[in-house]
């Protein structure tokens, strides 16, 4: 009697697996991972990404990418206390750890002079590359083109188009947020957001308006800019309800604003989400889980931004740098503030 098949055993990825996934020969995969010059840049990047996806023998990947180098990188941030920079750094560190790369972490605390000091110190340690993580999504000054190692910018793009920057797609984030509200049957959608000095606030407005226009609708009133606080959410929604009592959804620029909005709606006898759906941004767990009902929010996938930045730096170290700004998709984390969940 033939025994029933058991659960699939874990399989350690081989170079052949990497080659098969990348669509190249084993010889080409080996050359790509070992930094040989005979491999085209796009082929090398495809092989590196395949190796990352398969978790191909991290020590072999690191040896291939970093042969003859120090096996260290620098992570430079301006906001170690921020909830945006920390997930990015975690994602980057995960990717570096998978490649057995040691990481030096420096916090410039928003000070340009301190930042330059850290850059010099990291270069003095002969790091193989740098990732620079911003504290907000506005463009930041480039470290310059004269550095001896590759640099990748994350979250805050460099103002030099020749640099590579990995950022969340805030325009699309606004679009998918409104698409979710429309899918929930909402058509009278207002937007309360934060500091008008933030590029992300305006990008999300642009995406929200585009999604509404595609569906034949428009925002209820003008977007309301203010601060990134619960207090602003309470004040803004009170005025909104006085002027537009028939609003059926409020898209908020962050989760704190959304919490304030939910508080006032409850005080005024409006049910969430039956009467008014409420949605935030950032998917900050301490805010979304403390809201009643639980708060639907747009997650910017910041750990993926960090991982992508690290993978891009691997490629640059291996001799395949690329310029430009690359925007990664966000996602909607659906909870009870917009839809009844069984």
């Amino acid at each position: 009697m033939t025994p029933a098949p058991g659960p699939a055993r874990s399989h350690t990825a081989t170079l052949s697996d990497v080659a098969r996934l990348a669509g190249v020969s084993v010889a080409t995969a080996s050359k790509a991972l070992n930094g040989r010059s005979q491999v085209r840049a796009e082929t090398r990047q495809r092989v590196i990404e395949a190796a990352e996806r398969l978790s191909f023998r991290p020590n072999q990947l690191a040896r291939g990418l970093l042969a003859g180098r120090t096996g260290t990188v620098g992570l430079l941030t301006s906001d170690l206390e921020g909830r945006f920079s920390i997930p990015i750094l975690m994602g980057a560190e995960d990717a570096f750890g998978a490649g057995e790369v040691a990481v030096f972490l420096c916090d410039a605390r928003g000070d340009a002079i301190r930042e330059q000091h850290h850059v010099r110190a990291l270069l003095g340690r002969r790091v193989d590359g740098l990732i620079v993580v911003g504290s907000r999504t506005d463009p930041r000054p480039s470290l310059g083109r004269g550095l001896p190692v590759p640099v990748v910018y994350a979250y805050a793009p460099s103002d030099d188009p020749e640099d590579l920057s990995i950022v969340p797609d805030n325009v699309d984030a606004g679009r998918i947020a409104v698409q979710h509200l429309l899918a929930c049957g909402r058509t009278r959608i207002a937007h309360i957001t934060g500091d008008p000095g933030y590029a992300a606030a305006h990008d999300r407005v642009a995406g929200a308006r585009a999604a509404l226009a595609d569906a034949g609708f428009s925002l209820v009133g003008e977007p309301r800019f203010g601060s990134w606080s619960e207090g602003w959410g309470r004040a803004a929604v009170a005025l909104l309800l006085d002027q537009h009592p028939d609003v059926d959804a409020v898209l908020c620029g962050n989760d704190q604003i959304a919490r304030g909005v939910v508080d006032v709606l409850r005080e005024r006898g409006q049910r969430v989400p039956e009467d008014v759906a409420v949605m935030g941004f950032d998917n900050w767990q301490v805010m979304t889980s403390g809201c009643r009902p639980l708060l639907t929010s747009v997650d910017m996938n910041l750990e993926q931004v960090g991982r992508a930045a690290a993978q891009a730096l691997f490629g640059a170290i291996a001799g395949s740098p690329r310029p430009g700004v690359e925007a990664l998709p966000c996602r909607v984390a659906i909870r009870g503030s917009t839809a009844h969940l069984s």
Side-chain angles (χ1 to χ4, degrees):
M1 177 170 145
T2 303
R9 289 180 296 175
S10 62
H11 170 67
T12 300
T14 66
L15 186 60
S16 296
D17 296 326
V18 174
R20 189 178 305 110
L21 181 60
V24 300
S25 68
V26 172
T28 298
S30 176
K31 290 177 183 177
L33 293 177
N34 283 283
R36 301 286 179 81
S37 59
Q38 304 99 315
V39 181
R40 290 174 16 185
E42 56 268 30
T43 302
R44 187 189 313 280
Q45 185 61 32
R46 196 164 71 246
V47 172
I48 291 171
E49 290 174 354
E52 285 291 320
R53 285 180 57 189
L54 294 173
S55 300
F56 167 65
R57 295 294 298 273
N59 57 328
Q60 292 186 12
L61 178 59
R63 193 180 306 129
L65 290 178
L66 303 170
R69 302 182 184 273
T70 64
T72 61
V73 297
L75 288 179
L76 183 60
T77 181
S78 292
D79 184 26
L80 269 183
E81 295 181 357
R83 67 182 181 280
F84 304 119
S85 56
I86 293 297
I88 294 171
L89 295 171
M90 290 174 61
E93 204 278 332
D94 281 348
F96 287 134
E100 293 185 354
V101 176
V103 178
F104 295 118
L105 176 60
C106 297
D107 181 14
R109 304 178 192 174
D111 185 318
I113 295 175
R114 184 185 293 268
E115 180 178 83
Q116 287 300 317
H117 167 75
H118 285 317
V119 170
R120 288 192 297 270
L122 290 167
L123 294 177
R125 290 179 175 269
R126 298 183 59 240
V127 296
D128 298 317
L130 297 169
I131 289 183
V132 181
V133 181
S135 59
R136 52 192 287 178
T137 58
D138 302 74
R140 53 146 291 147
S142 171
L143 293 182
R145 301 186 185 183
L147 295 180
V149 298
V151 182
V152 175
Y153 297 81
Y155 195 64
S158 167
D159 60 6
D160 184 346
E162 290 303 309
D163 290 331
L164 176 62
S165 303
I166 310 291
V167 302
D169 190 338
N170 276 292
V171 174
D172 190 59
R175 182 186 296 274
I176 64 174
V178 163
Q179 287 172 342
H180 169 68
L181 292 172
L182 291 169
C184 292
R186 313 299 168 141
T187 59
R188 299 280 299 164
I189 302 171
H191 187 38
I192 298 173
T193 190
D195 188 339
Y198 277 63
H202 295 279
D203 288 343
R204 292 167 183 174
V205 169
R209 279 181 158 154
L212 282 166
D214 289 345
F217 300 105
S218 59
L219 284 174
V220 174
E222 288 298 309
R224 295 166 189 265
F225 292 90
S227 65
W228 305 105
S229 68
E230 290 186 48
W232 165 240
R234 287 192 290 269
V237 76
L239 183 60
L240 170 68
L241 293 172
D242 289 343
Q243 296 176 341
H244 303 282
D246 58 344
V247 66
D248 63 12
V250 182
L251 174 61
C252 302
N254 73 356
D255 296 333
Q256 292 101 306
I257 294 172
R259 284 282 297 270
V261 167
V262 170
D263 286 347
V264 170
L265 288 170
R266 183 183 301 110
E267 291 167 3
R268 294 207 175 189
Q270 299 270 23
R271 299 169 301 164
V272 176
E274 292 86 350
D275 301 321
V276 182
V278 179
M279 189 169 180
F281 271 91
D282 302 336
N283 199 28
W284 189 19
Q285 192 269 339
V286 70
M287 300 298 294
T288 59
S289 63
C291 187
R292 291 295 179 270
L294 299 180
L295 182 64
T296 295
S297 185
V298 177
D299 191 314
M300 292 186 289
N301 288 332
L302 295 179
E303 288 197 27
Q304 179 55 35
V305 170
R307 282 190 289 270
Q311 290 162 0
L313 190 62
F314 272 139
I317 291 170
S320 302
R322 59 187 193 267
V325 177
E326 299 181 6
L328 301 187
C330 304
R331 67 180 181 89
V332 175
I334 302 173
R335 302 187 182 91
S337 69
T338 59
H340 288 293
L341 303 178
S342 57

